[in-house]
Amino acid sequence: MTARNVLFGVTSDFLQLSRGGGDGVLGIDGCLKQIMEIPGSHSATLVDGASGLAVAAAGRADPVDEHEDAAGTTDVVRAVLATPALSTTRTGDDIEEIIVCGTRGYHLIALINDAFEGRLFLHLLVDRDKGNLALARLRVRELLGEMAGGEGA
């Protein structure tokens, strides 16, 4: 399964990531390919939260394309971050993930806090029967960290 690059060249950093980074940084295509190898993964969309546009996507073809996916999940992320009861705590924790549980699957939205001024996030759809949400969460965090050039996203 190959990743589909949808939007190119917002910054030179983005271009470096899309090409594979260098310095041992996992590129976007490689990251999405490995994310799709997580058991139960159906689709993955990397989204620019500032614009609401898909940066890249991989996985099954759905009635909802990567652009509709990106716009819808951007609305969810913005709503969560704009809600004081959800976005901040007394200890100052930042939101790292948003999980929406459906009858057939899980929507894992992982924010990439260190990359591109915190604007990017990943939306992963995981099959409820074939996937393991805990494994998906750990693996996604690890892979996004590699893509962003750090140890964890």
Side-chain angles (χ1 to χ4, degrees):
M1 213 168 289
T2 60
R4 299 178 305 279
N5 281 328
V6 180
L7 177 70
F8 291 101
V10 176
T11 66
S12 61
D13 291 335
F14 172 78
L15 289 174
Q16 182 180 4
L17 276 177
S18 66
R19 290 189 194 122
D23 298 328
V25 175
L26 183 63
I28 291 172
D29 291 342
C31 181
L32 289 179
K33 181 179 182 225
Q34 288 186 38
I35 286 172
M36 291 309 301
E37 292 172 359
I38 297 170
S41 293
H42 278 252
S43 63
T45 305
L46 185 63
V47 180
D48 176 359
S51 67
L53 296 174
V55 173
R60 71 165 195 223
D62 265 337
V64 176
D65 72 6
E66 59 266 1
H67 299 294
E68 290 175 288
D69 177 7
T73 53
T74 298
D75 288 343
V76 171
V77 169
R78 288 178 181 165
V80 168
L81 295 178
T83 305
L86 298 175
S87 64
T88 53
T89 65
R90 289 185 182 138
T91 60
D93 288 342
D94 290 327
I95 300 290
E96 290 182 335
E97 298 172 333
I98 301 166
I99 300 170
V100 178
C101 301
T103 57
R104 294 187 179 166
Y106 304 106
H107 298 265
L108 173 60
I109 302 171
L111 283 64
I112 307 172
N113 294 323
D114 295 333
F116 312 108
E117 302 168 9
R119 296 182 346 196
L120 289 181
F121 65 87
L122 176 86
H123 174 217
L124 175 64
L125 177 57
V126 180
D127 183 277
R128 191 175 195 131
D129 294 327
K130 297 177 184 175
N132 178 319
L133 182 59
L135 173 66
R137 289 180 65 209
L138 292 172
R139 188 70 178 128
V140 162
R141 189 67 32 211
E142 175 185 327
L143 291 168
L144 292 178
E146 289 179 30
M147 184 185 77
E151 295 180 19

